[in-house]
Amino acid sequence: MAMFGAFANAQMTMLEEQGFGNLCQGNEKVAKLHFYLQDVLGGLNATVWEVARSEITSTSPTSFGQVRVIDDLITAEPDSTSVKLGRAQGLITYADLENSGLTMNINFVFTAGIYNESTVCLLGRNPMSQQNRELAVVGGTGVFRMARGYAISNTYSFDPVTNYGVLEYTIYVAYVESGFGPLASH
């Protein structure tokens, strides 16, 4: 594989080159991932925290300009005591002046099962009032290196008294298999 410019001295291993070649030739696997996020918006064990706001956030009907950071538990079922699969970590920004819409940058960090130590990265607009909200899969690491695809998100439940939500995600992801990266044995 030819390399140019400032990175000419960076060498790909044979396995990395083979994996990248598979991507270029369309030799991808496809997976459907389905799981739940435990979204704790308040209390001592909150997993969502405000880190910034604009001058108009407090008077905006859509919380425009508010930025939050999340570190939500990923579980196999809606119940928070079900099998723990990892964490959802990233930023959500209230970015719509007229409707309840978020811009999201979320990394699903898997810590169990066949995808242990792998991530899937989502980016996009999340119109909170709609069902079947679609976000783009823009990459990943480990098993999901150079991933692409899309995710469908829904609010499974929300308790306004405890400020506790359960979000459902179904992700359709294409990725390169064999020998691409440090977790090639997965």
Side-chain angles (χ1 to χ4, degrees), residues 100-117:
S100 184
L102 305 174
T103 296
M104 299 180 68
N105 171 10
I106 305 295
N107 294 297
F108 294 109
V109 181
F110 298 105
T111 59
I114 62 172
Y115 303 125
N116 186 31
E117 298 185 19

Side-chain angles (χ1 to χ4, degrees), residues 34-54:
H34 184 253
F35 51 79
Y36 298 85
L37 301 189
Q38 307 299 319
D39 202 38
V40 187
L41 298 165
L44 295 175
N45 297 315
T47 60
V48 180
W49 291 90
E50 182 178 318
V51 294
R53 59 181 30 231
S54 72

